[in-house]
Amino acid sequence: MTKQTQWETEVIAELELLEKVSQKRAIVTTKEINSPFVIRDGQKLLNLASNNYLGLSNDIRLKNAAFMAIDKYGVGSGASRLMTGNHPLYDKVESRLIQWKRAEAALVLNSGYTANVGIISALMKRDDIVFSDKLNHASIIDGIVLSRAKLQRYRHRDIYHLEALLMKAPKDKRKLIVTDTVFSMDGDIADLEGIVRLKEKYNAMLMVDEAHASGVYGKGGQGYSYHVNLQDKVDIQMGTFSKAFGTYGAYVVAKKWIIDYLINCMRGLIYTTALPPSVLATIERAIEIVEEENEKRIILQQHAQHFRNMLINYGFDTCKSESQIVPIIIGENSKTLSFAKRLQEEGIAAIAVRPPTVPDNKARVRFAITATHQKKQLDWALEKIIQVGKELEVI
């Protein structure tokens, strides 16, 4: 029998420790059937774990856009955008983005993670300072680390703490404030008005991550910054097409000089193979649908408000959620796993989220509401959630 190397021994020990503290993860195959249902572990489940907020991932209009693009252009791009992969559909999508967002310039990128990492690491340098909400997405933190700028984390949604940090920062240093608008694990929303005020007072730039707000907020689904009419005060807007738009990819809109700089200095753009034409075609069609079909957003907000209110009325800790993302804070990892397992046994797909994705002792089951849910389905799910909550003494 081959003797284990020290490296192998150490890695296995780390995995065993993760198992011991109920933080070990596994990939489970999930098949979508008639939305909003999925098959997971061979069981049909009501899907309360998807970011497909408007139910577009299986929309026939997006399918047809993809089919036509594949038939016309093939299935791959063949190169990065700066080589030969910049398909004409990129120009169409970015022009559509500029129109939709009423922006000066736009850039389509491969994913939300690579967008955040690439934007921040390109724009910020070693002597710069980035002020980041403590609960910002991991991709934002990774971008800051890669940039080697000084990271200043302010307490979650705490404008006073952010100002205290800004006051201490040297006036001659470049400063960037970055925040999610809708926070992906808590479902609450940034105080964008307060952040804009501080950005202007302390001569900082502002970047917002609209990943969970794009398509969901704003009259045409442009995002939360448009919902509160502050889009012109935001220097860099980033968002994704992999959630409410039902497809894949990400975007950034900003002044032309910022976009030009990213094209020249963003490693995640320069050294990444371009998106396939079929994806670009679905993005273009999805923007049209999202902009035109406001009723989907209205239904989503009504469903989410009803779901949140019912959980709060029964005593669950929903972490002050204000959006379609509704967590139930449980705390202990093992108890959270038991809660998610019992829900699956009752016919509900809802995933346990544990550290390091969320802070220690803040493990939760995270629910995501969509426009394709029916109220009677949500009411049935609420009955099951309340039943399991009582059974496991969560309420």
Side-chain angles (χ1 to χ4, degrees), residues 77 79-91 94 274 280:
S77 62
S80 68
R81 291 191 66 180
L82 294 184
M83 298 296 285
T84 60
N86 194 54
H87 195 276
L89 286 174
Y90 267 111
D91 296 332
E94 287 168 352
L280 296 169

Side-chain angles (χ1 to χ4, degrees), residues 104-387:
E104 190 173 301
L107 194 62
V108 171
L109 303 164
N110 281 35
S111 74
Y113 185 91
T114 57
N116 275 335
V117 169
I119 294 164
I120 297 170
S121 62
L123 290 174
M124 305 306 289
K125 307 300 179 189
R126 187 186 295 274
D127 293 330
D128 301 334
I129 308 172
V130 183
F131 301 85
S132 174
D133 188 291
K134 190 174 183 180
L135 296 188
N136 275 342
H137 193 270
S139 57
I140 291 173
I141 304 304
D142 290 353
I144 298 168
V145 171
L146 191 60
S147 76
R148 293 178 288 186
K150 183 177 181 181
L151 168 60
Q152 295 277 290
R153 299 180 78 182
Y154 60 91
R155 289 186 292 271
H156 181 48
R157 300 178 73 240
D158 190 333
I159 294 300
Y160 301 103
H161 188 214
L162 172 58
E163 181 161 24
L165 294 175
L166 284 163
M167 287 176 64
K168 295 176 183 177
K171 292 183 179 179
D172 61 337
K173 299 295 184 183
R174 293 201 302 183
K175 297 178 281 289
L176 174 69
I177 303 170
V178 58
T179 184
D180 290 353
T181 50
V182 175
F183 289 89
S184 61
M185 289 297 124
D186 287 40
D188 54 358
I189 298 173
D191 179 0
L192 201 55
E193 184 176 3
I195 293 172
V196 164
R197 177 179 60 81
L198 295 180
K199 168 240 178 180
E200 294 179 338
K201 182 177 179 180
Y202 292 96
N203 194 30
M205 291 185 70
L206 173 59
M207 173 179 169
V208 298
D209 180 335
E210 296 266 35
H212 292 272
S214 291
V216 175
Y217 289 92
K219 187 177 180 180
Q222 297 98 329
Y224 184 75
S225 57
Y226 291 77
H227 180 72
V228 291
N229 199 31
L230 289 171
Q231 67 274 10
D232 294 335
K233 304 291 186 180
V234 176
D235 300 289
I236 305 162
Q237 296 177 38
M238 169 270 172
T240 60
F241 298 113
S242 54
K243 299 174 178 65
F245 293 81
T247 178
Y248 190 69
Y251 67 84
V252 55
V253 297
K255 296 287 187 182
K256 187 176 185 303
W257 68 266
I258 293 176
I259 299 301
D260 285 346
Y261 188 81
L262 292 175
I263 289 170
N264 283 274
C265 300
M266 182 176 171
R267 296 170 70 87
L269 170 76
I270 298 168
Y271 301 110
T272 300
T273 299
L275 289 169
S278 57
V279 173
L280 296 169
T282 59
I283 292 172
E284 183 186 15
R285 189 70 181 99
I287 292 173
E288 293 176 357
I289 295 169
V290 165
E291 185 174 26
E292 293 168 1
E293 297 186 359
N294 191 54
E295 65 275 10
K296 286 184 175 12
R297 278 182 287 282
I298 295 172
I299 292 169
L300 174 60
Q301 298 295 349
Q302 290 173 343
H303 283 348
Q305 185 175 7
H306 172 66
F307 194 81
R308 291 194 309 267
N309 289 345
M310 288 294 290
L311 291 179
I312 292 168
N313 290 343
Y314 274 89
F316 287 104
D317 180 359
T318 60
C319 209
K320 300 180 180 178
S321 168
E322 307 168 70
S323 69
Q324 71 281 3
I325 299 166
V326 188
I328 289 179
I329 305 299
I330 296 171
E332 299 174 6
N333 293 340
S334 58
K335 194 170 187 178
T336 304
L337 286 171
S338 296
F339 198 106
K341 182 180 178 182
R342 282 288 296 113
L343 289 179
Q344 179 162 325
E345 290 170 354
E346 295 293 337
I348 298 169
I351 308 303
V353 182
R354 296 155 286 160
T357 305
V358 294
D360 289 337
N361 302 313
K362 290 286 186 179
R364 66 201 63 187
V365 173
R366 175 189 181 273
F367 300 96
I369 310 304
T370 73
T372 55
H373 286 118
Q374 297 176 16
K375 186 175 180 295
K376 64 182 180 180
Q377 294 169 340
L378 294 176
D379 286 339
W380 172 83
L382 284 162
E383 289 182 11
K384 299 297 183 182
I385 293 165
I386 292 162
Q387 172 191 325

